[in-house]
Amino acid sequence: MDIVSCGTINDTKTLISDLLSDYNINVRPIANQSQAVNVTVQAYIKSIQEFDEVQGKFSFIGALMVMWEDVNMVWNPALYGHVYEVTLLYPNVWIPELVLSSPSDDVDSLGQKWNRIRYLYNGLAIWVPVDLIESTCSVNVRNYPFDTQKCITSFNSLGYNEYEVQLVAATDKFSLEVYQENTIWSIEKTEVKITQTGGGSQIDLIIYLNRKPSFVIINVVMPILFLSLLNVFVFLLIPESGERVSYCITVLLAIAVFMTIVSDMLPRSSEPVPIISFKLMMDMIISSFIVFVAIQNLTWYHRDENVTIPPWLKSVYKRLSCVCCRHKNIIPTLKRMNKKNNTKVKVISVSEFEKDPIEKKISRLVEEHVEETEVTWKKLSMLMDRVALIGFTAASFASFVIFLVVTAVTSS
């Protein structure tokens, strides 16, 4: 059988007048004052407004459904035209003041003066304050941009001891029924915990946030990789172009600009230091070495041939030349002879020579030929260009792969 309320406006006025006639907002609404008022809290989140990593500020639109029993608000509906519930402004009645204990700005209590509290005839009070909650959050950007943040928003029942007001969590997590997705952050999970601090009861609202890394990958991480690879192309420029030094310094400055951009997006703290900062620093070091090698190669290339080459440089050149020679055909002139004389000459490589003792002898002859090759400053410069191109390309790729691996391992 459905309950039908047929109370008039006079019935409601009379009811409210009778309820508030002897009401004292300074007295806890429980018959036995030696017992605690149990306040049940259910947390809701509507949307994430802002998460400022630099200032450590987390704000979201949320609500708390707060319920308790008020013995002063019990009535017999039959005496008041079957009015089963009324709503009152919260400054007129007792409420469990919930003060944000982790504010980013000023300390304030939850709720506004225009909020209303609904009372049922059995004394159950239901208060749903909705507000923009701005709280502090300890930021850990070690794995940026693949980081997960844990933000704790705490409310205390200040002014009351735990034996006077006891907060109780309705559930152990937020209600996400009305949640709207954020473009930067996704909620991994939520928790609601009750703790006792300083003699009072405290409720901790914990939100775990996962960053959506697509924007940072496209606008920061990938350009850093491309700049690292673009940097080594300086060794493909011919020395006569006169643009080598300006090219590599331009790329070095571009990497420095990206370091500034990333540092502006992160909090200025030494612990923990983001892994991406180490990655950028490594790219700066590699780029600085590239500038040094490019200038040194230009010095060698334009050096007078009458200047004697140090023996150790000749030794390095011959060793590297021998290594490079092993991946080529031994006698390139045989190809030209083949085309000129229409003779069939089989050109074989050093790796084929080394299959039997006779071929090893030929391999030694090739090495002796390399030993007799004249070493010039231009040849030395061109060889170092080739070695630097391969070496710095490998170093750039290794730096990027290590960054991804370390970030994935630490984030897991």
Side-chain angles (χ1 to χ4, degrees), residues 35 37 39 50 58 168 240 257 265 341 385:
Q35 296 180 352
V37 178
V39 180
E50 181 186 13
F58 175 58
V168 179
E240 289 82 359
V257 169
M265 300 170 65
N341 302 327
D385 278 344

Side-chain angles (χ1 to χ4, degrees), residues 56-69:
K57 176 181 177 181
F58 175 58
S59 61
F60 64 96
I61 297 178
L64 295 180
M65 179 183 286
V66 186
M67 297 177 291
W68 68 94
E69 290 186 359

Side-chain angles (χ1 to χ4, degrees), residues 53-120:
E53 300 100 313
V54 177
Q55 298 183 2
K57 176 181 177 181
F58 175 58
S59 61
F60 64 96
I61 297 178
L64 295 180
M65 179 183 286
V66 186
M67 297 177 291
W68 68 94
E69 290 186 359
D70 191 332
V71 295
N72 300 309
M73 293 294 178
V74 179
W75 71 90
N76 186 353
L79 300 179
Y80 298 95
H82 296 283
V83 176
Y84 289 91
E85 57 185 47
V86 293
T87 57
L88 299 172
L89 289 173
Y90 91 84
N92 299 325
V93 292
W94 181 92
I95 61 168
E97 288 282 359
L98 297 179
V99 179
L100 181 63
S101 58
S102 56
S104 60
D105 293 320
D106 297 332
V107 178
D108 197 5
S109 60
L110 185 66
Q112 302 293 333
K113 292 183 177 180
W114 48 263
N115 290 159
R116 291 184 176 273
I117 300 176
R118 182 171 298 275
Y119 287 94
L120 303 183

Side-chain angles (χ1 to χ4, degrees), residues 203-214:
I203 182 169
D204 295 330
L205 310 178
I206 307 173
I207 303 178
Y208 294 85
L209 300 173
N210 278 336
R211 188 190 302 272
K212 297 178 181 179
S214 302

